[in-house]
Amino acid sequence: MEENTIVNDEKLDAIKDTKTPPGAKAKTDSKVDGKDEKETPVTFTEDEVAKKVQSAEDKLRTKYSKEIKDLQDQIKKLSPVEKTQTEIDIENRLAALEASEKAVADRERKIAVQEKLSGSGLDKGLADYLKDDVDVDALSAIVENIIKSRMKNNGYVPNEHGSDEKVTPEDFKKMTYSQKVEYSQKHPESYKRLIGKK
């Protein structure tokens, strides 16, 4: 096979001398014995060029392979360690235990609020609508004031009060039949109470 020669150009110079950027020619002393000589083109065989290209590729591949390996090691260090099934089970049990403890604590607080409400004469059902740290005594006073003001405005006020005469059972027994009839017509509630009917 015939050897092909390749003329050295800027790209081959860049491969050969990695310190000189492409497009910049390396300065060489072309004077020999004070005379200028024409630059003679350097020729390479196809195999030599292939070897030089392969050498440059190998250097780059080695460099980047090392960088990739270092980055992968950092990723392994920074990524969380995979948990075993036992660790996952323990975490799940712990979460369930914490949830049940929270539920028990919530129920205890609700019961305490219900007891405070019933002690203040309020309905226990209000505990569902109140916060745990509510001042039950202040709430009771507010509710009582609201009820009193509504009773004054809308409540039943009797027109007539019973007679000022208080009849005792002994007095009732001493009354005549006509007095008892008259008393029963004027004070029916009192009459029923005195004869024993409720």
Side-chain angles (χ1 to χ4, degrees), residues 32-71:
V32 177
D33 296 330
K35 298 181 181 175
D36 285 336
E37 289 184 11
K38 289 186 178 179
E39 280 190 36
T40 57
V42 179
T43 58
F44 292 100
T45 63
E46 201 172 301
D47 289 337
E48 289 174 333
V49 171
K51 285 179 184 177
K52 289 187 182 281
V53 169
Q54 184 66 38
S55 173
E57 286 177 354
D58 288 344
K59 287 178 185 177
L60 284 174
R61 190 177 298 117
T62 303
K63 177 184 170 188
Y64 288 126
S65 295
K66 185 179 181 219
E67 287 180 9
I68 289 172
K69 186 177 184 293
D70 291 342
L71 290 174

Side-chain angles (χ1 to χ4, degrees), residues 67-79:
E67 287 180 9
I68 289 172
K69 186 177 184 293
D70 291 342
L71 290 174
Q72 286 174 342
D73 290 342
Q74 281 184 337
I75 289 172
K76 285 181 182 177
K77 287 179 186 176
L78 297 176
S79 63

Side-chain angles (χ1 to χ4, degrees), residues 2-176:
E2 182 181 326
E3 280 188 17
N4 293 327
T5 59
I6 300 175
V7 178
N8 187 7
D9 63 355
E10 291 179 10
K11 290 182 182 177
L12 286 178
D13 285 341
I15 293 173
K16 193 171 167 185
D17 182 19
T18 58
K19 294 181 182 174
T20 306
K25 292 190 177 184
K27 294 184 178 180
T28 58
D29 191 13
S30 61
K31 292 184 180 180
V32 177
D33 296 330
K35 298 181 181 175
D36 285 336
E37 289 184 11
K38 289 186 178 179
E39 280 190 36
T40 57
V42 179
T43 58
F44 292 100
T45 63
E46 201 172 301
D47 289 337
E48 289 174 333
V49 171
K51 285 179 184 177
K52 289 187 182 281
V53 169
Q54 184 66 38
S55 173
E57 286 177 354
D58 288 344
K59 287 178 185 177
L60 284 174
R61 190 177 298 117
T62 303
K63 177 184 170 188
Y64 288 126
S65 295
K66 185 179 181 219
E67 287 180 9
I68 289 172
K69 186 177 184 293
D70 291 342
L71 290 174
Q72 286 174 342
D73 290 342
Q74 281 184 337
I75 289 172
K76 285 181 182 177
K77 287 179 186 176
L78 297 176
S79 63
V81 179
E82 291 186 28
K83 298 177 184 176
T84 64
Q85 186 61 36
T86 306
E87 291 173 332
I88 293 171
D89 291 341
I90 289 172
E91 287 180 358
N92 290 339
R93 288 179 185 166
L94 184 61
L97 181 62
E98 288 173 353
S100 68
E101 286 177 351
K102 185 179 182 297
V104 167
D106 289 344
R107 274 190 244 128
E108 287 176 352
R109 278 188 239 116
K110 184 177 178 181
I111 289 170
V113 170
Q114 286 176 339
E115 289 175 358
K116 286 180 185 177
L117 288 170
S118 73
S120 296
L122 297 174
D123 187 4
K124 290 181 180 181
L126 288 174
D128 294 334
Y129 305 104
L130 299 175
K131 291 184 180 180
D132 298 334
D133 59 347
V134 69
D135 184 6
V136 176
D137 296 330
L139 177 68
S140 175
I142 291 170
V143 170
E144 195 171 311
N145 289 338
I146 291 171
I147 291 172
K148 284 181 182 178
S149 68
R150 284 195 181 170
M151 289 301 287
K152 282 182 184 177
N153 297 334
N154 304 329
Y156 173 76
V157 178
N159 294 339
E160 288 183 23
H161 293 291
S163 67
D164 291 335
E165 319 169 6
K166 292 194 175 186
V167 178
T168 62
E170 291 80 27
D171 292 340
F172 184 74
K173 287 180 185 176
K174 292 179 185 175
M175 287 183 181
T176 63

